[in-house]
Amino acid sequence: MEKFFKFLNSDRYQYTESEIYLKNNMQNKIAAFDVFLRTKKENDYAVVYGISDVLGLIEILNETSCEDKKKYLSKIFDNADFIEYIANMKFTGTIKGVRDGEIVFSNEPILTVTAPLIQGKIIETPILNILHYQTLAATVTSKIVLAAEGRGVLSFGTRRTAGFEAAMTMTKASYVAGCISHSNLAAEYFYDLKSTGTMTHGFIQTFGMGENAEYKAFDAFIKMYRNKNQALIMLIDTYNTLESGIISAVRAFKDNGINDEYEGMYGIRIDSGNLEKLSKECRRILDKNGLYKAKIVLTSGLDEKKIRTLIKNNAKVDIFGVGDAIALPERAISTVYKMAKINENNVMKISDESGKTSLPGNKDLYRVYKNNDFYDVIALEDEKLEDTGNIKKLTIDYISDGEKIVENYELLDLKKAKEYYDSNLSFVKKVYGEKLKVKRVKLSEKLENLKRELLKTKKICK
């Protein structure tokens, strides 16, 4: 019972419609629903993350007892027959989709649920709630990491996320998409992802005001952590970055014998001011004092655009710390859940806005590799394109007739998701910031014909 509330994290209308289906004896119709993305920018890419958590929802539905379900449902609904139906319902359908860490484009099916109508209907919002934020966080992180051009990126957004679960999923998504570390202790505990952190302005202020206070703070920090394999990164902009902060940091390093022979990481962090100019001057001062391996970490409201500008202007930076841009990303994608088939009838959403017209039929996604490049093909499931050396089927079966396929579930392990994303990194770099209008997504001829036939119904209706 403790977890069933996650399954009920839904919009009311899905249950309203489901009551009607049950009343009219439509619950056994088999429906196929596609989850796909719409990107804000044409031809843009996204990084999928959250498939594993979606499958966890199905386990919650199937493992929660009928009695426990009724305790929730009876507080919300007054239809006894409907409560009885949902309380006794288990997922008996099929779920297939891409892997966590996959790169995809607009309108490609990243997840397909084929199940009795009510089963497929009531999981719409919970699925979108999971996949949208996690995919958005992974996508934004991917672009920030690529903008950094080989410099490390740290995820520092815990304090900005909407609660515990968002902080955990953001941290995992940012790890998969390339962050070298993060700041969250719980994520280290639960997922064995090493956390990192420097110090706050408040820490320095506890030692007073001015250069001497900064020196005392830095000296205390170094003495505490120099033998604990923790990075010795001094925050130098509490009072005056160039006139006191960097000077105090250099002095503290020298007094404690921290130099280029130190086995761990050491360096400075700048969190305000003109990061470009300050980083260049600090690099000059560090090098002048023989601290060539000292790292420079830049923070302060950084995002993809600001990082690209800093790199373009030759800022002296080794690591970027990013918080809000990952935790509260701008909506660059929309995650959509649309019916594509009901019993034997293929269906689609038709709109005067071409971007809002969905694709009919039960489909699979393939990737075709050619001349060190690639494009995707969306094909109807019964086409079964040959999985040759240069054609790879991206769609994987996770649940078949209500039974999970264990070996495919294992592909969604956090570390394996990162390995999979990294294995496609050369292609991610190819599509990042792509200027040419390369057609990345094609429809199979059979799917194209089906879409064309169904579009004719719009004219008939008129």
Side-chain angles (χ1 to χ4, degrees), residues 213-338:
E214 286 179 305
Y215 172 78
K216 288 179 180 178
F218 298 157
D219 182 67
F221 192 96
I222 293 169
K223 282 181 165 59
M224 182 70 185
Y225 291 111
R226 62 178 299 156
N227 296 318
K228 294 190 176 183
N229 197 30
Q230 180 165 326
L232 305 178
I233 304 295
M234 308 297 112
L235 180 60
I236 64 171
D237 69 309
T238 303
Y239 300 125
N240 188 302
T241 301
L242 296 179
E243 293 186 12
S244 64
I246 185 65
I247 294 169
S248 298
V250 169
R251 178 182 162 203
F253 286 140
K254 287 189 171 184
D255 288 353
N256 286 280
I258 304 298
N259 52 40
D260 286 358
E261 294 182 4
Y262 178 65
E263 292 184 2
M265 182 189 294
Y266 78 102
I268 60 169
R269 176 163 75 97
I270 308 172
D271 190 49
S272 62
N274 187 321
L275 299 183
E276 176 197 331
K277 291 182 179 179
L278 290 173
S279 67
K280 290 177 179 178
E281 184 59 23
C282 286
R283 181 77 270 166
R284 186 189 68 77
I285 294 171
L286 290 168
D287 290 352
K288 180 182 177 181
N289 284 274
L291 304 176
Y292 302 105
K293 292 184 180 180
K295 303 295 184 184
I296 296 180
V297 181
L298 299 183
T299 52
S300 184
L302 297 178
D303 57 20
E304 179 192 357
K305 184 178 179 180
K306 291 177 181 177
I307 288 173
R308 291 178 71 171
T309 300
L310 285 167
I311 297 295
K312 180 181 177 181
N313 294 335
N314 297 312
K316 300 301 181 182
V317 52
D318 300 287
I319 298 170
F320 294 102
V322 182
D324 291 16
I326 296 175
L328 299 170
E330 293 184 15
R331 190 173 68 86
I333 60 173
S334 295
T335 314
V336 187
Y337 190 97
K338 294 294 183 186

Side-chain angles (χ1 to χ4, degrees), residues 36-50 98-108 110 131-143 146 173 176-177 330-335 365 367 374 376 394 420-421 424 427-429 431-434 440-441:
F36 58 93
L37 308 175
R38 297 186 183 121
T39 57
K40 189 174 181 180
K41 295 180 181 178
E42 185 183 0
N43 219 36
D44 205 357
Y45 78 96
V47 179
V48 175
Y49 192 68
V98 300
R99 291 182 61 169
D100 278 335
E102 187 65 83
I103 56 170
V104 297
F105 302 89
S106 284
N107 298 318
E108 295 186 330
I110 63 172
L131 280 178
H132 179 76
Y133 178 69
Q134 297 190 41
T135 296
L136 188 54
T139 301
V140 168
T141 299
S142 171
K143 294 177 178 180
L146 291 177
V176 167
E330 293 184 15
R331 190 173 68 86
I333 60 173
S334 295
T335 314
L365 181 62
R367 183 152 292 161
F374 73 96
D376 292 349
L394 300 184
Y420 183 73
Y421 172 80
N424 286 310
F427 296 110
V428 179
K429 291 177 179 178
V431 299
Y432 174 67
E434 194 166 47
R440 292 287 176 195
V441 184

Side-chain angles (χ1 to χ4, degrees), residues 81 96 121 167 190 227 230 265 305 353 370 378 391:
D81 290 340
K96 61 182 181 178
K121 169 58 66 172
F190 284 113
N227 296 318
Q230 180 165 326
M265 182 189 294
K305 184 178 179 180
E353 296 179 61
K370 189 175 181 181
I378 307 173
I391 299 178

Side-chain angles (χ1 to χ4, degrees), residues 76-87:
I76 305 170
F77 304 106
D78 56 10
N79 183 332
D81 290 340
F82 185 63
I83 292 172
E84 191 70 23
Y85 180 84
I86 298 296

Side-chain angles (χ1 to χ4, degrees), residues 82-95:
F82 185 63
I83 292 172
E84 191 70 23
Y85 180 84
I86 298 296
N88 283 281
M89 187 180 75
K90 293 185 182 296
F91 187 82
T92 59
T94 296
I95 295 181

Side-chain angles (χ1 to χ4, degrees), residues 340-347:
K341 193 170 185 177
I342 182 75
N343 282 347
E344 298 305 315
N345 298 315
N346 297 302
V347 296

